[in-house]
Amino acid sequence: MTDSADSPSFRLAYVPGVTPAKWVRIWHERLPDVPLTLDQTTAAEASDLLRDGTADAAFVRLPVDRTVFSAIPLYTETTVVVVPRDHLMTAAEEVTLDDLAEEVVFHPLDDVLDWDQPPGQPAFERPATTADAIELVAAGVGVLLVPQSLARLHHRRDLTYRTVVDAPQSAVALSWPEDATTDLVEDFIGIVRGRTPNSSRGRAPQTPAERAPERRKPAAGRTTGGAKSTGGNGTRGRAGGAKGAGGAKGGGRRGTGGGKPRRRS
């Protein structure tokens, strides 16, 4: 979002489970004069914030409407089942959906997993939120399947989780309106993609000295213009002088050798 040409700003939304701190820190290092505002939102509301311009970009969970939004997939999360610490399922490191067949499995209204058919036995009613479902799991009423980051977000000492190897998974992406790919959005895309400030799409400002082509340094012993002849003569002169000095030195040695007194027998 840009307040004016003279005071730009950037607003970033993110859904629960996503930790944008690393990218935000790099933004502040590269663009210290452009404020970045964070807005945590629900997975269902993230698209609305992008549509109405409340957010310039958002970390969302796929899928998104690709006729409206651009998206860069970032990573896919492991799905886990959240259970009480004394649950029999904790005896294994990993479980399958078949292992949940006799369990009451909560399917909250804000569930982010794309189920063809939720596993296990359906609960009497669907909890409104994942947080509500976590409370019910803690009460020993049933279990809950979520991306691992949400299990960590809602961590409780009386609960734990196990990987579900054959469950649907949730993918996280950076998304923004396709018709609103501003320069600041491009800057943030570069940060998320790991581009350096000097990359071709990094838009890092350069000083005139940085934009100027590097001048090739003259080779050692050479100068430019008329000084070339002088440098050459000087080199030859030094070489000749070295020879002359060597000859004199040799003569000195011979002279010294010839003048050395001989011992008489």
Side-chain angles (χ1 to χ4, degrees), residues 136-248:
L136 293 172
V137 174
V141 182
V143 301
L144 173 68
L145 280 82
V146 290
Q148 186 171 347
S149 67
L150 291 183
R152 291 173 174 170
L153 179 65
H154 296 285
H155 170 72
R156 292 173 52 127
R157 289 186 176 183
D158 53 349
L159 300 179
T160 188
Y161 57 83
R162 292 293 183 268
T163 299
V164 184
V165 295
D166 54 349
Q169 296 179 319
S170 176
V172 173
L174 175 67
S175 183
W176 66 96
E178 188 170 348
D179 60 357
T181 309
T182 64
D183 286 343
L184 291 180
V185 169
E186 285 284 6
D187 286 329
F188 196 76
I189 292 171
I191 289 171
V192 171
R193 285 191 179 276
R195 297 183 192 133
T196 64
N198 295 324
S199 65
S200 59
R201 300 181 67 182
R203 293 186 59 252
Q206 291 182 315
T207 65
E210 290 172 330
R211 287 194 296 267
E214 183 180 358
R215 295 182 178 180
R216 183 176 298 176
K217 295 180 180 179
R222 296 182 61 186
T223 58
T224 58
K228 181 176 181 180
S229 175
T230 303
N233 292 337
T235 301
R236 287 195 295 271
R238 287 193 296 271
K243 288 181 179 180

Side-chain angles (χ1 to χ4, degrees), residues 6 19 34 56 60 65 79 117 127 156 176-177 180 185 233 240 260:
D6 297 327
T19 306
V34 181
D56 297 288
V60 301
D65 185 354
T79 299
Q117 177 64 42
R156 292 173 52 127
W176 66 96
V185 169
N233 292 337
K260 187 176 181 179

